[in-house]
């Protein structure tokens, strides 16, 4: 999608601190981190949210979580981390290309704000 900032990062047309890449996804540092570790894991395939994901995308969604879990180990945040998917403007979604936030390195409250 030409207007999508995450598609531009995938196409290397916009800068990002990419820390992981494979055939179906990439991970990079969030530009406005909300925790000492704040990474985004995104599929190469563009879809806005989990609601737009198709049945065929289910293995891809699972893969994103597995990649995030591996990154949590690499970044040594396994004592407690959050994987967050904001869905819709009301939940704070601002980029409409599916992404998994991986946050760690600090304590978290429940319920989330
Ligand atoms: P959300 O609000 O859940 O849609 O999350 C979007 C996230 O993308 C926010 O945490 C932003 O800080 C982050 N973000 C937006 N643009 C960029 C960018 N160019 N590089 C890295 N992170 C970005």
């Amino acid at each position: 999608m030409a207007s999508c900032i995450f598609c531009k990062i995938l196409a290397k047309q916009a800068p990002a601190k990419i820390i992981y890449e494979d055939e179906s996804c990439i991970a990079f540092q969030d530009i406005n981190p909300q925790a000492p570790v704040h990474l985004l894991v995104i599929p190469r395939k563009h879809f806005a949210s989990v609601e737009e994901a198709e049945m065929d995308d289910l293995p891809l969604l699972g893969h994103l979580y597995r990649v995030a879990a591996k990154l949590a180990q690499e970044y040594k945040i396994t004592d407690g981390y959050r994987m967050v998917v904001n869905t819709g403007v009301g939940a704070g979604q601002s980029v409409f290309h599916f992404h998994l936030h991986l946050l760690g390195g600090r304590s978290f409250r429940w319920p989330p704000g």
Side-chain angles (χ1 to χ4, degrees), residues 5-6 9 14-17 28-34 38-40 42 48 84-89 91-101 103:
I5 182 62
F6 286 180
I9 288 172
K17 290 184 181 159
F28 51 94
Q29 293 182 358
D30 195 292
I31 203 169
N32 182 24
Q34 301 301 311
H38 187 171
L39 306 176
L40 300 172
I42 72 167
V84 175
V85 179
N86 295 322
T87 307
V89 173
Q93 186 174 6
S94 59
V95 177
F96 290 83
H97 180 127
F98 182 89
H99 52 282
L100 190 56
H101 293 260
L103 299 130

Side-chain angles (χ1 to χ4, degrees), residues 82 84 106-113:
R82 286 264 169 91
V84 175
R106 66 169 171 84
S107 57
F108 296 95
R109 292 186 184 173
W110 192 261

